[in-house]
Amino acid sequence: MGVLEDRLPENILFTTVDKFLNWSKKSSLWYMLFATACCGIELMQTGASRYDLDRFGAVFRATPRQSDLMIVAGTITHKMADRVKKLYAQMPSPKYVIAMGSCANTGGPFYKDSYAVLKGVDRIIPVDVYVPGCPPKPEALIEGIMKLQERIMEKKTLVKK
Ligand code: SF4
């Protein structure tokens, strides 16, 4: 602290506006309660007491209007794709997407033989983090959320366009 040492009361921190805003965003990732197949069971497990996602500031919401994170957990069929796009559009910005599991990443085990399954959710909405696995374990999803938090911390909010 140099010249400021011992001249300020306790509990004062210095930071940049960007860092403060990013810290606020990464510490309150409210994810939409949304699962379409077996990966959803792992998502529920991650949110439950054993893995306790709440400690990262990530709590689930029952509506897209209160969510800033969509975790796509499960297979997305072409029939479902429009609904996913609509849900994403209803989320307020800034908003983020994690593709959880092989189905959300690429179509997974249905990639080759199914005419009904979307070959990756990034074909319809932007994805920030991909979590591999079939299904990914809760530890993997937590790592994905931590990666997203790292990416959020790198963002520049106060940049002239
Ligand atoms: S990636 Fe595997 S576990 Fe997840 S929804 Fe697809 S088939 Fe189920």
Side-chain angles (χ1 to χ4, degrees), residues 42-110:
E42 297 298 318
L43 171 61
M44 290 175 227
Q45 161 83 331
T46 315
S49 53
R50 186 181 176 96
Y51 291 96
D52 191 18
L53 257 190
D54 293 25
R55 68 200 151 109
F56 296 92
V59 293
F60 65 79
R61 308 306 295 167
T63 163
R65 303 211 184 265
Q66 294 175 354
S67 310
D68 44 17
L69 171 60
M70 180 191 275
I71 300 173
V72 183
T75 324
I76 302 295
T77 58
H78 289 293
K79 206 171 179 181
M80 184 72 183
D82 259 358
R83 276 71 168 184
V84 174
K85 276 204 278 190
K86 260 187 203 142
L87 288 168
Y88 180 76
Q90 288 175 345
M91 292 164 62
S93 292
K95 53 190 170 185
Y96 314 99
V97 176
I98 292 180
M100 177 186 180
S102 306
C103 282
N105 289 345
T106 62
F110 310 104

Side-chain angles (χ1 to χ4, degrees), residues 7-8 19 62 90 94 108 123 156:
R7 296 178 66 186
L8 294 169
K19 273 193 187 155
Q90 288 175 345
R123 296 184 181 215
K156 300 256 181 257

